[in-house]
């Protein structure tokens, strides 16, 4: 039971950490339409192991893309396919 509580507390801490990290991200766009997501310049200059990062933000974006891809694949079953290829994750 103690391990489960520790696990849930760790997940709670990680979710809060990710929310705080995502709140620091600045969205910038160029006149040509290129969009970038980055930390403010003053946070990018930090050094050391406790510096601000955007690792959790990147993981969140990749995770969301993976879920979208997965659901797109599941919906693809309803579409007629002329080949023998069946998409799947390994």
């Amino acid at each position: 039971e103690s391990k489960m509580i520790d696990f849930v507390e760790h997940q709670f801490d990680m979710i809060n950490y990710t929310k705080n990290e995502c709140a620091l991200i600045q969205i910038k766009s160029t006149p040509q339409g290129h969009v970038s997501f980055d930390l403010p310049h003053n946070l990018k200059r930090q050094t050391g192991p406790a510096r601000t990062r955007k690792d959790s933000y990147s993981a969140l974006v990749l995770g969301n893309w993976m879920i979208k891809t997965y659901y797109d694949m599941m919906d693809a079953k309803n579409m007629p396919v002329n080949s023998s290829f069946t998409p799947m994750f390994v």
Side-chain angles (χ1 to χ4, degrees):
E1 184 178 313
S2 174
K3 289 182 181 183
M4 182 56 107
I5 292 171
D6 291 344
F7 175 75
V8 171
E9 286 178 355
H10 177 70
Q11 293 304 311
F12 179 78
D13 292 341
M14 292 306 296
I15 289 170
N16 282 331
Y17 179 77
T18 302
K19 285 169 42 176
N20 291 334
E21 194 174 277
C22 289
L24 295 173
I25 301 293
Q26 289 183 337
I27 303 170
K28 299 175 187 172
S29 61
T30 65
Q32 293 81 21
H34 176 76
V35 179
S36 65
F37 303 85
D38 212 351
L39 292 171
H41 289 292
N42 62 326
L43 296 177
K44 288 169 105 178
R45 285 183 266 158
Q46 291 178 338
T47 58
R51 72 182 184 270
T52 304
R53 300 177 181 167
K54 59 179 188 173
D55 299 340
S56 297
Y57 171 77
S58 300
L60 182 65
V61 169
L62 288 171
N64 282 318
W65 173 75
M66 176 63 188
I67 292 295
K68 181 195 177 309
T69 304
Y70 174 78
Y71 284 125
D72 288 348
M73 283 177 27
M74 293 300 106
D75 288 342
K77 289 180 182 178
N78 300 330
M79 299 170 54
V81 178
N82 294 333
S83 70
S84 61
F85 175 76
T86 303
M88 63 180 211
F89 285 107
V90 180

